[in-house]
């Protein structure tokens, strides 16, 4: 158990809908990352927050947004869902914003299926 | 320049054998190279990592070899066990102004036969 908690574990929704994925980082970790894992794209970095502020941005679609709250939990909002958004969404956390030896811990993911 | 190329896509070894997975990168700004292990239904878990100023790092049966001039690094699993059967991802970290991002390889599905 990495200590990173993600909910829900599984979600099935229809195209055009909006969903929110939630993440609680490990105790003491200030940085939260979101990754998307799909069969054709592999593990793709979406966005990073540190203590409530956006710190790095990857190939996150405009239909997707995220935020980190004062209690450090984070939410990833996915809207106008398309079939191609079906994927496993991982949240990860680390103590600090940068890497270079700072371990990042992944949650077990939220499996999103868009039908 | 953001890509990390990983090979092979899949690998089958016998118990007790050596598993070798290779990765190559282009971006010289990468400053940290971790390997992750992922079991079905689980998130990636950090296995071992190396900085570019070190040529080799060993932790138990797992060794990273790093060739900075060739921009290549590899994971060696000695005395491979059936419990090592998983998907392995190499990654490279790119520091950003106030954050960082990991770029992952495509993954290698390792099967260790008993």
């Amino acid at each position: 158990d990495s200590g990173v908690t993600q909910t829900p574990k599984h979600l099935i929704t229809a195209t055009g809908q909006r969903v929110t994925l939630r993440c609680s980082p490990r105790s003491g970790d200030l940085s939260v990352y979101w990754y998307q894992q799909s069969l054709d794209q592999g593990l793709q970095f979406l966005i990073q927050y540190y203590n409530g502020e956006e710190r790095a941005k990857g190939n996150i679609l405009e239909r997707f947004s995220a935020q980190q709250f004062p209690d450090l939990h984070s939410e990833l909002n996915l809207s106008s869902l398309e079939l191609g958004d079906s994927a496993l969404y991982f949240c990860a956390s680390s103590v600090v914003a940068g890497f270079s030896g700072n371990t990042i811990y992944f949650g077990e993911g939220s499996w999103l299926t868009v039908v | 320049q953001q890509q990390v190329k990983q090979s092979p896509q899949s690998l089958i070894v016998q118990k007790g054998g050596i598993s070798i997975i290779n990765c190559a990168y282009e971006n010289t700004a990468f400053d940290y190279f971790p390997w992750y292990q992922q079991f079905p239904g689980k998130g990636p878990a950090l296995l071992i990592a190396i900085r570019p100023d070190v040529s080799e790092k060993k932790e138990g049966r797992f060794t990273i070899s790093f060739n900075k001039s060739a921009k290549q690094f590899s994971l060696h699993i000695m005395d491979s066990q059936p419990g090592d059967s998983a998907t392995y991802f190499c990654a490279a970290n790119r520091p950003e102004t106030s954050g960082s991002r990991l770029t992952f390889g495509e993954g290698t599905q390792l099967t260790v036969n008993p």
Side-chain angles (χ1 to χ4, degrees), chain B residues 45-59:
Chain B
L46 179 65
L47 194 60
I48 187 173
I50 198 167
R51 296 174 191 266
D53 55 348
V54 176
S55 61
E56 185 175 282
K57 183 174 182 180
K58 183 176 181 179
E59 290 184 0

Side-chain angles (χ1 to χ4, degrees), chain A residues 91-111:
Chain A
C91 173
S93 73
S94 65
V95 174
V96 296
F99 258 70
S100 300
N102 174 43
T103 301
I104 181 172
Y105 296 90
F106 281 79
E108 296 199 345
S110 291
W111 186 263

Side-chain angles (χ1 to χ4, degrees), chain A residues 70-113:
Chain A
D71 67 352
L72 301 178
H73 91 271
S74 178
E75 293 181 355
L76 179 66
N77 299 296
L78 315 174
S79 62
S80 303
L81 285 167
E82 303 176 358
L83 295 178
D85 297 328
S86 295
L88 192 53
Y89 291 84
F90 285 109
C91 173
S93 73
S94 65
V95 174
V96 296
F99 258 70
S100 300
N102 174 43
T103 301
I104 181 172
Y105 296 90
F106 281 79
E108 296 199 345
S110 291
W111 186 263
L112 173 66
T113 302

